[in-house]
């Protein structure tokens, strides 16, 4: 169509402080493109305050107004957005051979192991923030504190840039860690994680049933409880009369971090195609979203059971996109956070970053961490189990920890 690949994404930064940055995407369409774009925006710590998107089934045009971090690396973000945009060959049939012969290779997993001479509140968050800035994706973490106070951290990571096997990239990573840990850093090693090491890193397969029953319940709460919204606070309606070929979905709800991502990943998992959509979030945090959608067979959704299933799933994902609980683990206190995994196998971005940030703000130390995936109620979940260090001065009620962690994860913390 005569458009250069780098011109498929255009980022127009705000003209004055406080204005949103406008991201325009003009590229071939694919099912799930909205999910991929919104996931990257969430990964860079930004929020979508307005959106317009349309497609003719082959080519799409997306405009996103985003707000958030003033130090966003826009050039890097554009590169990541371009990577999920299909090339123009996909609309011409010329990439049939390419698709058949270029299957994506699973990313190499590396073990980042370091010892520090002492622990401090917020240390794990500072390390996590460095890894995020380096575009190292955390797959699993094991943190343990020795009796003498030394801390061993094992981070299983993949490298978005696919360069962690090189000496230069390893040195860059270690230098950034030294800058954060200072003289506390005793040693640091980075190696490819072989299958035997990866197997040893697996979290405990045991998941307490009492946690699972409450955390992963499919029933809607009928009132606001411990930070959860009541189901009555969300309105989702479907209409097949307004368009001859599309089902209109209208959503009214409260805004939260990653809201567009949660809607788009749900539609992607259901293989739903969006032909036109418009989203707006007002300054008070109320959102309106209109979507004209079709099934994979290019037909509207007329089956009442399919309509009910999609509406229920969307409502649950908007009510509880993440599950948070503070529970007893023997005599100790454990923070448990879980998020659903996309059918593509990708987890939610920045969850561990936000958990450690919330605990740092509460001045709570972390004794150990386990991250693992579990199949619960026929869905795969990424589960974070953080054993809290209940040392001298630990007196926060569990309810306060739970609410504060959830508020950071949902973007509802007003103190920052």
């Amino acid at each position: 169509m005569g458009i250069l690949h780098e011109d498929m994404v255009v980022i127009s930064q705000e003209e004055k402080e406080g204005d949103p940055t406008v991201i325009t995407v003009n590229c071939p369409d694919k099912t799930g493109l909205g999910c991929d774009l919104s996931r990257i925006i969430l990964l860079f710590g930004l929020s979508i305050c307005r959106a317009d998107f349309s497609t003719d089934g082959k080519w799409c045009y997306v405009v996103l107004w985003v707000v958030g971090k003033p130090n966003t690396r826009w050039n890097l973000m554009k590169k990541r957005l371009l990577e999920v945009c299909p090339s123009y060959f996909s609309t011409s049939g010329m990439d049939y051979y390419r698709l058949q012969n270029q299957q994506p290779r699973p990313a190499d997993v590396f073990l980042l192991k370091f010892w520090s001479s002492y622990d401090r509140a917020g240390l794990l968050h500072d390390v996590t923030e460095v890894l995020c800035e380096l575009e190292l994706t955390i797959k699993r973490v094991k943190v343990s504190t020795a009796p003498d106070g030394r801390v061993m951290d094992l981070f299983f990571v993949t490298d978005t840039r696919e360069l962690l096997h090189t000496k230069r990239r390893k040195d860059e990573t270690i230098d950034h860690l030294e800058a954060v840990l200072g003289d506390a850093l005793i040693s640091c090693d980075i190696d490819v994680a072989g299958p035997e090491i990866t197997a040893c890193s697996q979290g405990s397969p045991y998941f307490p049933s009492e946690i699972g029953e409450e955390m992963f319940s499919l029933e809607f709460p009928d009132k606001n409880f411990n930070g959860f919204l009541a189901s009555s606070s969300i309105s989702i309606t479907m209409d097949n009369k307004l368009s001859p070929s599309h089902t209109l979905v209208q959503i009214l709800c409260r805004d939260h971090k990653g809201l567009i991502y949660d809607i788009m990943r749900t539609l992607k998992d259901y293989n739903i195609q969006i032909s036109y959509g418009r989203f707006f979030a007002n300054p008070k945090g109320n959102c309106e979203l209109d979507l004209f959608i079709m099934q994979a067979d290019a037909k509207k959704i007329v089956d009442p059971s399919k309509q009910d299933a999609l509406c229920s799933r969307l409502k649950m994902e908007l009510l509880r996109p993440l599950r948070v609980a503070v529970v007893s683990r023997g005599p100790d206190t454990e923070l448990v956070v879980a998020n659903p995994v996309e059918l593509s196998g990708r987890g939610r971005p920045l969850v561990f970053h936000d958990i450690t940030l919330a605990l740092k703000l509460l001045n709570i130390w972390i004794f150990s961490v386990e991250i693992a995936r579990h199949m619960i109620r026929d869905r795969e979940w990424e589960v974070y189990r953080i054993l809290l260090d209940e040392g001298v001065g630990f007196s926060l009620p569990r309810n306060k920890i739970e609410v504060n962690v959830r508020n950071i994860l949902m973007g509802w913390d007003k103190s920052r």
Side-chain angles (χ1 to χ4, degrees):
M1 295 187 69
I3 184 171
L4 295 175
H5 183 64
E6 59 267 24
D7 293 334
M8 289 182 178
V9 175
V10 176
I11 299 178
S12 305
Q13 296 184 41
E14 70 275 16
E15 295 182 358
K16 59 180 181 179
E17 187 176 353
D19 286 350
T21 293
V22 181
I23 300 173
T24 304
V25 180
N26 188 10
C27 70
D29 196 14
K30 68 175 182 178
T31 300
L33 178 61
C35 173
D36 297 342
L37 295 174
S38 57
R39 187 181 190 277
I40 291 172
I41 289 170
L42 176 60
L43 179 61
F44 276 77
L46 302 173
S47 298
I48 300 172
C49 61
R50 181 182 165 193
D52 284 302
F53 26 89
S54 61
T55 179
D56 61 4
K58 290 187 176 181
W59 203 271
C60 71
Y61 185 73
V62 180
V63 184
L64 304 170
W65 288 260
V66 301
V67 294
K69 298 166 62 175
N71 58 342
T72 300
R73 293 175 289 178
W74 296 109
N75 288 336
L76 180 60
M77 183 178 179
K78 177 177 179 176
K79 181 179 179 180
R80 297 296 170 241
L81 291 170
L82 283 170
E83 288 173 350
V84 301
C85 293
S87 74
Y88 72 92
F89 290 107
S90 62
T91 64
S92 64
M94 295 175 62
D95 67 342
Y96 172 80
Y97 179 82
R98 289 149 46 99
L99 292 174
Q100 292 294 318
N101 292 278
Q102 294 186 10
Q103 296 299 322
R105 181 179 61 86
D108 292 328
V109 178
F110 291 83
L111 171 59
L112 168 60
K113 175 182 177 181
F114 64 88
W115 280 92
S116 50
S117 57
Y118 58 86
D119 196 7
R120 61 173 171 80
L123 183 144
L124 192 55
H125 172 70
D126 295 342
V127 171
T128 302
E129 194 165 42
V130 164
L131 297 183
C132 289
E133 290 175 356
L134 289 169
E135 292 195 290
L136 298 176
T137 303
I138 300 169
K139 295 295 185 181
R140 186 164 288 109
V141 180
K142 287 188 72 69
V143 179
S144 55
T145 305
D148 62 0
R150 293 185 304 158
V151 180
M152 182 184 70
D153 295 79
L154 302 177
F155 284 82
F156 294 83
V157 301
T158 58
D159 186 7
T160 301
R161 304 175 194 175
E162 299 184 345
L163 293 171
L164 199 52
H165 62 283
T166 65
K167 182 179 184 301
R168 180 176 180 179
R169 180 71 161 148
K170 289 179 180 179
D171 290 345
E172 178 190 24
T173 302
I174 294 173
D175 288 345
H176 278 74
L177 288 173
E178 287 179 342
V180 169
L181 297 170
D183 58 4
L185 182 63
I186 299 173
S187 64
C188 182
D189 297 295
I190 304 173
D191 293 296
V192 175
E196 67 284 353
I197 298 177
T198 304
C200 293
S201 76
Q202 298 294 328
S204 170
Y206 169 70
F207 197 77
S209 59
E210 62 274 15
I211 299 177
E213 286 300 318
E214 182 175 344
M215 280 194 72
F216 303 100
S217 171
L218 299 178
E219 296 183 4
F220 296 112
D222 58 359
K223 61 181 180 179
N224 194 305
F225 178 71
N226 272 3
F228 286 126
L229 296 175
S231 59
S232 59
S233 64
I234 296 176
S235 170
I236 301 178
T237 58
M238 287 192 177
D239 187 330
N240 279 316
K241 298 178 181 179
L242 196 61
S243 169
S245 55
H246 296 85
T247 297
L248 170 62
V249 180
Q250 294 182 300
I251 301 175
L252 302 175
C253 63
R254 180 183 176 185
D255 197 8
H256 68 251
K257 183 189 296 184
L259 180 139
I260 294 295
Y261 168 69
D262 290 322
I263 294 172
M264 294 300 170
R265 67 175 169 81
T266 301
L267 296 177
K268 182 180 180 180
D269 284 353
Y270 273 76
N271 204 19
I272 296 293
Q273 300 175 3
I274 302 172
S275 296
Y276 174 78
R278 177 168 291 180
F279 166 79
F280 176 73
N282 67 28
K284 294 183 178 180
N286 299 315
C287 299
E288 299 179 11
L289 180 65
D290 294 334
L291 297 171
F292 287 84
I293 64 174
M294 297 187 300
Q295 300 178 115
D297 58 6
K299 296 180 181 179
K300 61 172 62 178
I301 306 173
V302 295
D303 186 337
S305 62
K306 291 183 178 180
Q307 290 185 11
D308 291 343
L310 181 57
C311 281
S312 295
R313 175 71 176 273
L314 282 169
K315 181 174 285 190
M316 181 58 73
E317 298 302 331
L318 293 176
L319 278 171
R320 303 176 68 185
L322 301 117
R323 312 297 170 95
V324 183
V326 179
V327 300
S328 296
R329 186 172 176 180
D332 302 313
T333 299
E334 181 179 62
L335 169 66
V336 183
V337 177
N339 61 267
V341 176
E342 295 177 32
L343 289 182
S344 63
R346 297 183 307 185
R348 188 186 189 88
L350 298 182
V351 173
F352 190 60
H353 172 278
D354 288 349
I355 293 171
T356 54
L357 172 61
L359 295 178
K360 178 180 180 178
L361 294 174
L362 290 170
N363 199 33
I364 294 177
W365 293 30
I366 296 172
F367 184 77
S368 66
V369 176
E370 284 185 9
I371 304 177
R373 291 188 173 187
H374 300 265
M375 289 298 297
I376 303 171
R377 297 185 184 273
D378 298 323
R379 292 187 69 185
E380 187 177 19
W381 294 80
E382 203 160 43
V383 181
Y384 302 76
R385 303 181 65 179
I386 296 96
L387 196 63
L388 306 181
D389 188 342
E390 299 182 84
V392 178
F394 186 91
S395 59
L396 288 175
R398 292 182 176 183
N399 179 67
K400 182 175 181 180
I401 298 173
E402 184 175 324
V403 170
N404 277 266
V405 170
R406 181 178 294 110
N407 285 345
I408 292 291
L409 287 165
M410 298 290 281
W412 293 340
D413 182 55
K414 302 302 182 184
S415 63
R416 301 181 64 244

